[in-house]
Amino acid sequence: MAIFYNGISGPFSGKVGDVVGSKWRDINCIRARPKRSKKPKQQGQIACNNSFTLIHQTLMSMEGLVNECFASYPGKGTGRNSAHSYNGTRAIIQTGNGPAIDFSRFLFSWGDLDGTKETKAWANGPLTLLVSWDTSTTTKKASPDDEVICLTYSRKSRAVLIIRETVRKDGYLHYELPGGLAGEEIEVMIAFKSHRKGRFSQSQYVGRVDLEPKKVSKVATEEVNDEQSRFCKPINLHAGSLFSCQR
């Protein structure tokens, strides 16, 4: 692919023989017309394609969030494309059943705002999730009023839950989950956003919480990882369901 600068007739767009002119991120480009390959795909190609599809579908279910939280990632890409670039090379693992996401290495937010040193997540009943974090900070970038963004992801139903109801100084989040998540395991992550300067922290993995009725005391912790409950209504998507809670 080559970059095409405007000439006397302006940018070239369309097809001429085997040459295609198009615009990519507001840049005029010229490339060769794509051709379908008749060669059988190798196992490595199949694994790569499956990994790409998994990351793409996962990020599409939280596209608005990653476009916002990954906007400061180096490069010219959109937030979602930047998140794909990062997670596609760091958070994918190969299993006997194909590719899977290692959420302990997955990021939905990128930035230099202070995160937190200690986090915990656990269930207090089949549909009650509690998350806690250390409120102390080490730099002047952080503030007690920084917004807390909590993200949960269910591998089984691919349901995404976004919670934006608390601030850093609260140190605690308590909310009722939608009934559709009963009996599932959810991955829990958090990040912080500064309203004063628009900075984000790098998201942190809190842990996996089992919502089975007989296993309501499981606590997941990780090194870097309101008293009011709110019910979240689902929005059906082609790749799963999205549950979004905001103030």
Side-chain angles (χ1 to χ4, degrees):
M1 183 177 70
I3 297 176
F4 179 80
Y5 296 98
N6 289 347
I8 190 170
S9 300
F12 164 60
S13 177
K15 298 178 182 178
V16 177
D18 290 333
V19 179
V20 179
S22 61
K23 181 171 287 190
W24 175 74
R25 298 178 189 171
D26 294 326
I27 300 173
N28 297 312
C29 305
I30 293 178
R31 57 184 172 84
R33 186 175 182 178
K35 296 180 180 180
R36 288 185 176 273
S37 175
K38 296 181 180 180
K39 297 180 180 179
K41 291 184 178 180
Q42 303 297 318
Q43 287 300 116
Q45 290 176 302
I46 295 174
C48 183
N49 290 345
N50 290 341
S51 298
F52 182 95
T53 300
L54 176 61
I55 284 290
H56 175 76
Q57 291 178 344
T58 301
L59 291 173
M60 283 299 293
S61 68
M62 56 186 81
E63 183 178 19
L65 182 65
V66 292
N67 274 334
E68 177 187 5
C69 299
F70 246 89
S72 63
Y73 191 79
K76 297 182 179 180
T78 63
R80 186 184 64 79
N81 287 341
S82 297
H84 191 135
S85 176
Y86 179 93
N87 291 298
T89 57
R90 295 171 176 84
I92 286 289
I93 57 175
Q94 298 298 329
T95 70
N97 296 321
I101 296 177
D102 179 355
F103 280 92
S104 67
R105 295 186 288 177
F106 179 88
L107 296 184
F108 72 84
S109 177
W110 174 274
D112 61 357
L113 186 66
D114 282 9
T116 183
K117 295 180 180 179
E118 296 181 4
T119 60
K120 292 182 181 180
W122 67 100
N124 185 25
L127 288 173
T128 301
L129 180 68
L130 299 101
V131 182
S132 66
W133 56 88
D134 182 4
T135 60
S136 62
T137 58
T138 58
T139 70
K140 294 182 179 180
K141 295 178 183 178
S143 165
D145 295 322
D146 290 339
E147 180 185 17
V148 176
I149 304 172
C150 180
L151 173 71
T152 73
Y153 182 85
S154 168
R155 293 179 184 270
K156 181 179 179 181
S157 63
R158 298 183 181 179
V160 173
L161 174 65
I162 303 168
I163 305 293
R164 306 180 73 160
E165 295 186 345
T166 57
V167 294
R168 187 190 294 269
K169 64 183 178 183
D170 294 333
Y172 184 79
L173 176 65
H174 170 207
Y175 56 89
E176 297 298 319
L177 297 168
L181 293 178
E184 298 194 21
E185 287 185 335
I186 57 175
E187 307 286 356
V188 183
M189 297 152 276
I190 65 169
F192 298 86
K193 177 185 178 181
S194 170
H195 284 296
R196 292 182 299 179
K197 298 183 179 180
R199 284 193 173 107
F200 291 88
S201 73
Q202 184 169 301
S203 59
Q204 299 171 219
Y205 179 66
V206 183
R208 182 180 299 175
V209 176
D210 193 340
L211 300 176
E212 288 285 352
K214 296 181 180 179
K215 301 177 182 179
V216 297
S217 299
K218 183 173 181 179
V219 177
T221 62
E222 184 74 8
E223 178 182 356
V224 292
N225 253 171
D226 53 292
E227 300 297 333
Q228 182 180 5
S229 302
R230 185 184 294 266
F231 184 81
C232 310
K233 296 183 178 180
I235 303 172
N236 293 325
L237 300 175
H238 68 279
S241 300
L242 172 68
F243 302 92
S244 181
C245 300
Q246 296 186 340
R247 291 186 173 209

